[in-house]
Amino acid sequence: MIGKSPSQHQKDLFKPLLKEFINLRHELALLGDKIDWKYFEDEFADFYSNTGKPSMPIRLMVGS
């Protein structure tokens, strides 16, 4: 089953968002904004089951 990223509308004192402590002008951060992540999600979706435990997000797998 394709995993869903948890909604991060509410801040957690002990789990800051990544974008709060990285340089958003770094080359890798800029590259991440230019990649068409929807394309990869669509291409890999057929390899996931509709039942069972949710997987890690496809973006995490492709971006590693």
Side-chain angles (χ1 to χ4, degrees):
M1 179 175 350
I2 296 179
K4 299 288 182 187
S5 297
S7 175
Q8 294 185 336
H9 295 293
Q10 184 173 354
K11 293 180 78 170
D12 185 340
L13 178 64
F14 301 107
K15 294 181 182 176
L17 298 175
L18 181 62
K19 67 181 180 179
E20 292 177 353
F21 59 92
I22 65 168
N23 180 2
L24 294 176
R25 292 180 289 154
H26 188 275
E27 294 87 6
L28 293 176
L30 295 172
L31 179 62
D33 288 336
K34 295 182 185 292
I35 294 174
D36 182 8
W37 296 108
K38 180 72 173 132
Y39 167 79
F40 289 106
E41 290 174 359
D42 293 342
E43 289 296 314
F44 286 103
D46 292 339
F47 297 107
Y48 288 83
S49 170
N50 292 325
T51 60
K53 180 180 174 185
S55 68
M56 298 302 289
I58 291 175
R59 180 174 178 164
L60 179 65
M61 178 190 62
V62 172
S64 294

